Amino acid sequence: MSLPLFNAFLNEADEWSRQLSLALSEWALDDKATLAPQTLTWAHALAGSAATVQFVDLATLAKASERLIERATDNHWRPAGLAALLAQTAEEMRRLLHQFAAGFLKTYDPEIEARLNHYLS
């Protein structure tokens, strides 16, 4: 990956993940509240951008988050624990991104993926 692409990815992904994490953390405090409309956009942008630079673990978590956010916003589907799981996932994505920025390609916690898949099935 070229240095300009690496830097562009990091700058954009950091902002998207920061906004996503903030929105989902707020939603976890009050899961009856309406999610910010941009929440889905941030998850989608993060998933696509991570896939473009072949950061598979980040793309996987972001895509799963995107699908769950879309379901929650379209259908007002709010099972117990979903908001907290999405907030935890957003923090995990930020951790992965910061490790990537430092030059380490870390993997995500497999327990998070299992919990996401439970809601996706």
Side-chain angles (χ1 to χ4, degrees):
M1 172 184 333
S2 71
L3 186 57
L5 178 59
F6 178 79
N7 288 333
F9 166 73
L10 285 180
N11 288 333
E12 291 174 343
D14 185 55
E15 181 59 21
W16 293 328
S17 70
R18 186 183 70 74
Q19 294 287 352
L20 182 63
S21 184
L22 179 62
L24 292 173
S25 293
E26 289 175 355
W27 189 47
L29 293 174
D30 181 9
D31 66 357
K32 303 294 186 232
T34 302
L35 272 167
Q38 304 89 338
T39 307
L40 184 59
T41 303
W42 294 320
H44 178 77
L46 195 54
S49 185
T52 298
V53 299
Q54 299 179 355
F55 191 171
V56 176
D57 281 6
L58 181 60
T60 299
L61 292 181
K63 185 64 177 172
S65 296
E66 176 188 7
R67 289 177 57 205
L68 290 171
I69 292 165
E70 184 174 39
R71 190 182 295 175
T73 55
D74 286 350
N75 304 324
H76 301 290
W77 175 74
R78 308 282 171 89
L82 176 64
L85 173 60
L86 286 172
Q88 180 185 10
T89 303
E91 285 303 312
E92 181 72 357
M93 288 188 286
R94 291 205 37 89
R95 182 188 70 81
L96 290 174
L97 188 59
H98 289 149
Q99 291 293 316
F100 185 72
F104 302 102
L105 192 57
K106 299 289 185 173
T107 189
Y108 54 77
D109 179 353
E111 177 63 28
I112 290 177
E113 181 182 32
R115 292 174 58 209
L116 291 168
N117 287 334
H118 170 76
Y119 284 106
L120 288 168
S121 59

